Amino acid sequence: MSVKTLTIDGKMVTGMAGETIFNAAWEAGIRIPRLCHVGGVSDVGACRLCLVEIEGQKKLLAACLTPVEEGMVVHTNTERLRAHRRLILELLFAERNHVCSVCVMNGQCELQDLAAEAGLDHVRLRYQFPKLGVDTSHERFGLDHNRCVLCTRCIRVCDEVEGAHTWDVSGRGARSVIIADMGEPWGQSESCTSCGKCVQVCPTGALFSKGRGVGEMRKDRRFLKYIVTAREKHQWIR
Amino acid sequence: MDSLTKKPRLATVWLGGCSGCHMSFLDLDERLFELHRRAEICASPFTDYKDFPEVDITLVEGAVTTAEQLEEIRHVRRRTKILVSFGDCAVTGNVTAMRNFFSVDDVLDRAYRETATQIVGIPSGNPAVPRLLDRVRPVHEVVKVDYFLQGCAPSAEEIYRLLMDLLDGRTPALAGRKFGS
Amino acid sequence: MTVEELFELHSEEQARLRRLENRIYCCTAAGCVSCGAEGLRSAIAAAIKAEGLEGRVEVCGSGCLGLCSKGPLVRSAADGALYGELPPEEGALLVRPNPIDRQRLAAKRLDTNAPFFARQLKIVLANSGQVDPERLADYIAAGGYQALAKAVTEMTPQEVIEEIKRSGLRGRGGAGYPTGLKWELVARQPSPVKYVVCNADEGDPGAFMDRSVLEGDPHRVLEGMAIAGYAVGAQQGYIYVRGEYGLAIQRLQTAIKQAEREKLLGNRVFETGFQFRVDLRIGAGAFVCGEETALIASIEGKRGQPRQRPPYPPESGLWEKPTLINNVETFANVPPIITEGGDWFASIGTETSKGTKVFALAGKIAHTGLIEVPMGTTLRTIVFEIGGGVPGGKFKAAQTGGPSGGCIPEQFLDVPVDYESLTNIGSMMGSGGLIVMDESSDMVDVARFFMEFCMDESCGKCIPCRAGTVQMHDILSRLTRGEGTAEDIRLLEELGALLRETSLCGLGQTAPNPVMSTLRYFRHEYEAKLASGGRQ
Ligand SMILES: Cc1cc2nc3c(=O)[nH]c(=O)nc-3n(C[C@H](O)[C@H](O)[C@H](O)COP(=O)(O)O)c2cc1C
Ligand code: SF4
Ligand code: SF4
Ligand code: SF4
Ligand code: SF4
Ligand code: FES
């Protein structure tokens, strides 16, 4: 496999042919904000937080989906990108009901962290206050739609890693919701193996383990790395 | 903040919040003395005042939930040079705004009828009971806000730093704060 | 069918038609059907029977005759006259009119020399109203399938592509990508399996150009697709048509069956090695499924959601195979280009935009309906000459490109309508919807209407479009209620830039266009609506 050399934020970086800009940057210690991407499952390019500027390209491209190319000059943190990211985060906070102070993920949430990194200290858009439910029918886990950012990580890990494909999206636009099987309560899902992978990859407080109070939920994605390493390198190491 | 020459005038206001932010303010403890040396505390829920005075800095706790508070915050804004949204309820609406999922009528029913045991019935026509707005709103949705101090509640340390920054004429360093924590 | 048989059938059917004393074409497109075309048609059929004229006078259905606002429309072949708003009893008079009947009919006769007809140039719609869409023989009599015969028996695939390139044809689905280049991209792929897809999802509110073509001349689209299949090396085609188009679906099914029976589709087309099949796929009415990657997902049986391009469909499309996707109108242009030659086509239109464009006129305009004009015709000609102007009012703006386009104010009435000029003034060609507004239109409300459409149709995959359209719609609603602030206008502009630059697909990227263009040309209307008290 051939090696490509490119420049990211003024730094010379190398990546394998086919590798994404996101991964090449990550390996070089450059952290591009991301919400829908999670290492170990396929990418969908949905959150648009990882958009980067590539010299000679008019369009902004998702780093998580764009392969590296020889001689590419990439900027990941321009004023324009920062402004877009801030506004995308504002959109997310206004879209559903994020009451961090009473959320199981308070303090550990990826959305909170992204907002803090972006210097977001208030939301200029109107909060929409949609009426959404919490599905607590599963014996061990819960799904709080109020906190869901529709990143579809849960769908992909359940489909691609666990092989159950319990989750999917129903409805479209702002009416999109995550559903189990054909829309039944999670606890009645026949496909769910209760493996908990979806809970662990969920970036927010949307998927949680029962019995956790405010700020008590911790997520652990090491299992994904373990599986991916096994799959790619045939080594069962933690 | 070169305009703050003499002893700057400070106020705090309590709208729709649980008073936790003010409790945190009181957690300044002995630093309250320092604050007293640096600024004149002109109005707050802890002090007695008739009309809100002209001040340099106001910290606002809580979201705007009643018609009275809406009037009040507009009045405060007119009389304040620097207005700070103080804590998550002021900044986002937070828990206070969770009543926005229901209509005002449903909220009142729940509070004064369904769960009441002693005096059952919605108080109406009583001027002491302010009219609830259709929806609870963060402060910046109704007046211009200059700085936002997130947190539920912000720690005494953060309040102290913010006030010192303002009193020293620096732009407050608020970066990296999170909603909620 | 061999090429010889095709030409034989062509002459036979033409001779048969010449022998008829008259043939009466009743428009059976959706517009006329909704104002009684079927009753009219049966009245004429009954009159023919009653007069014992079967075999001498014929009545048939036809595609759109254009002036939909005067429906039901009828064309009488004997004298070429066109009649509008005919009640069934008057229609019956057409069969064997006496002098008194003639006088009565004269009142309903439409002037085909009027600019509405005279300023049009029909290539795509040439057969519409001239052939019975349910009869293959009609299409063949009009020269149908001769282009396919020529392509597969006389030309190499590369020559077909060269002809399309020479014609300068660009995609009519909205973006205007050069069709010849797209075909070449697909042809160049080494894959043995490739697909041709016809995009007949037509979801713009008020647009019915593709629908008219499918209803009025379905074989034309099949022929265009088959030529494309030959050129790019595909053996399978799909037409993705929206489920609401019941009549179009039915006519396509009939046409496919007819073409298969006559071996114009299927194995060994014109006894050559070329084989090509066409199947229908019915959409469920989501606007986003017109976007090519969402359309592909939908045909594959998945949720109709777009994905990032590249890879573009010519490289990796349906089931990851090289796929050619073109719009209905694009395919309909192909047969005449092959028969008449690319140079002929390129002689029509402007420097960068060749041929004609079909528009659906709607809104505050005298003649609503379907028109086809050479590219480069000015908006003034379209609105005031062909469209007959703005009844009882003053022209304010025209919206082209539907919810993805923008409004064009009066000062640009003389801009030639082509891809580049429209983009330069902040609108776009789009698929051909053209809505005229007079001074009673509230431009903020117009922008709100289109934003509501995009909000409802957003697939929800990416955040800027899913949540951004909601916020933009929220602000626009506030403005129309007189509750907006100057800060709201700033936010509207910021959100507009966000959606344009960061949305995943064209829906979100173009959703701000109506807002941006009304802000550009009618900003004072926004400002006049601001709440007096500052922040509310
Ligand atoms: C939201 C959206 C809706 C679209 N709808 C249609 C449609 O209804 N019909 C169509 O032909 N193209 C539509 N397109 C354009 C297609 O993606 C594609 O560009 C087109 O079918 C290509 O054909 P052409 O090159 O012949 O224009 C749409 C694009 C977007 C972004
Ligand atoms: S999911 Fe994250 S952002 Fe949302 S309420 Fe919980 S902690 Fe806050
Ligand atoms: S627990 Fe496992 S099987 Fe069940 S939904 Fe989550 S990932 Fe799928
Ligand atoms: S439940 Fe969690 S992982 Fe699934 S889409 Fe929502 S936020 Fe993403
Ligand atoms: S821009 Fe809109 S329609 Fe397109 S992918 Fe994003 S959410 Fe879906
Ligand atoms: S991480 Fe790339 S689009 Fe979400």
Side-chain angles (χ1 to χ4, degrees), chain A:
Chain A
M1 227 201 254
S2 69
V3 173
K4 312 274 180 186
T5 310
L6 62 156
T7 314
I8 305 181
D9 294 342
K11 191 167 170 181
M12 288 287 271
V13 167
T14 56
M16 294 308 227
E19 190 178 4
T20 63
I21 295 175
F22 186 94
N23 281 348
W26 181 268
E27 278 153 28
I30 300 166
R31 299 284 178 265
I32 302 175
R34 58 101 165 84
L35 192 55
C36 63
H37 168 83
V38 61
V41 298
S42 66
D43 280 302
V44 288
C47 74
R48 317 308 281 165
L49 286 169
C50 74
L51 292 194
V52 294
E53 289 177 24
I54 298 171
E55 285 185 13
Q57 279 262 3
K58 244 175 66 192
K59 269 170 73 172
L60 302 176
L61 287 176
C64 68
L65 281 177
T66 309
V68 293
E69 268 166 43
E70 187 63 38
M72 239 181 193
V73 182
V74 182
H75 302 280
T76 74
N77 198 16
T78 63
E79 185 43 51
R80 171 181 171 214
L81 292 172
R82 281 197 299 270
H84 282 336
R85 285 176 191 144
R86 223 167 14 239
L87 192 48
I88 290 175
L89 291 166
E90 285 183 70
L91 284 169
L92 278 181
F93 278 100
E95 180 178 40
R96 293 205 168 178
N97 306 304
H98 293 277
V99 192
C100 298
S101 60
V102 295
C103 179
V104 286
M105 276 291 269
N106 190 11
Q108 343 285 332
C109 169
E110 289 186 39
L111 177 58
Q112 255 185 336
D113 289 344
L114 284 163
E117 277 160 34
L120 185 69
D121 59 5
H122 72 293
V123 174
R124 296 166 299 163
L125 307 165
R126 291 288 164 97
Y127 291 100
Q128 297 294 307
F129 296 105
K131 271 199 179 166
L132 296 162
V134 183
D135 181 348
T136 52
S137 58
H138 192 282
E139 60 169 338
R140 287 168 51 208
F141 312 121
L143 166 57
D144 182 352
H145 294 287
N146 295 284
R147 312 286 195 250
C148 172
V149 291
L150 295 168
C151 65
T152 71
R153 284 187 190 182
C154 54
I155 298 179
R156 286 171 284 148
V157 81
C158 183
D159 177 40
E160 297 168 18
V161 181
E162 179 61 7
H165 199 134
T166 299
W167 299 120
D168 217 315
V169 182
S170 145
R172 68 168 181 244
R175 296 178 305 277
S176 304
V177 278
I178 299 292
I179 54 162
D181 289 355
M182 300 308 281
E184 42 259 89
W186 189 3
Q188 287 167 29
S189 158
E190 293 194 359
S191 62
C192 174
T193 63
S194 302
C195 71
K197 292 186 174 69
C198 54
V199 177
Q200 299 308 322
V201 297
C202 175
T204 68
L207 286 167
F208 58 90
S209 305
K210 282 185 163 178
R212 298 296 193 284
V214 171
E216 287 178 356
M217 186 68 205
R218 296 285 183 285
K219 304 218 170 165
D220 179 4
R221 282 204 289 281
R222 271 172 305 178
F223 80 90
L224 244 188
K225 193 155 175 26
Y226 173 67
I227 291 171
V228 172
T229 312
R231 195 167 58 197
E232 288 172 2
K233 305 196 177 123
H234 304 286
Q235 291 173 324
W236 295 95
I237 43 169
R238 290 250 174 213

Side-chain angles (χ1 to χ4, degrees), chain C residues 9-19 140-143:
Chain C
L9 196 63
H10 170 70
S11 335
E12 275 170 27
E13 180 65 15
Q14 280 203 329
R16 189 189 79 83
L17 291 176
R18 267 196 306 273
R19 281 195 303 273
I140 289 177

Side-chain angles (χ1 to χ4, degrees), chain C residues 179-306:
Chain C
T179 306
L181 287 184
K182 204 188 256 187
W183 288 26
E184 194 162 51
L185 280 175
V186 182
R188 246 196 246 135
Q189 302 294 322
S191 167
V193 179
K194 297 178 191 177
Y195 298 101
V196 169
V197 175
C198 172
N199 188 341
D201 196 50
E202 197 168 53
D204 289 20
F208 54 101
M209 299 75 57
D210 295 347
R211 171 185 195 157
S212 287
V213 174
L214 296 173
E215 287 176 358
D217 201 9
H219 281 289
R220 176 81 83 88
V221 179
L222 297 181
E223 186 179 3
M225 287 178 72
I227 294 170
Y230 176 72
V232 304
Q235 299 170 350
Q236 175 68 48
Y238 290 99
I239 304 178
Y240 188 88
V241 54
R242 58 187 306 200
E244 291 93 326
Y245 284 2
L247 185 59
I249 293 169
Q250 181 199 319
R251 296 227 165 118
L252 279 169
Q253 281 167 337
T254 309
I256 291 171
K257 257 190 235 126
Q258 290 167 340
E260 280 175 351
R261 198 178 318 121
E262 298 300 333
K263 301 218 161 52
L264 295 162
L265 289 177
N267 290 331
R268 300 187 48 77
V269 172
F270 289 115
E271 320 244 294
T272 67
F274 173 60
Q275 52 170 331
F276 193 71
R277 259 172 211 82
V278 176
D279 283 303
L280 293 187
R281 286 292 177 269
I282 314 295
F287 176 57
V288 73
C289 284
E291 195 280 339
E292 55 190 23
T293 58
L295 187 149
I296 287 170
S298 180
I299 295 183
E300 289 173 350
K302 301 184 186 138
R303 183 175 159 87
Q305 272 190 333

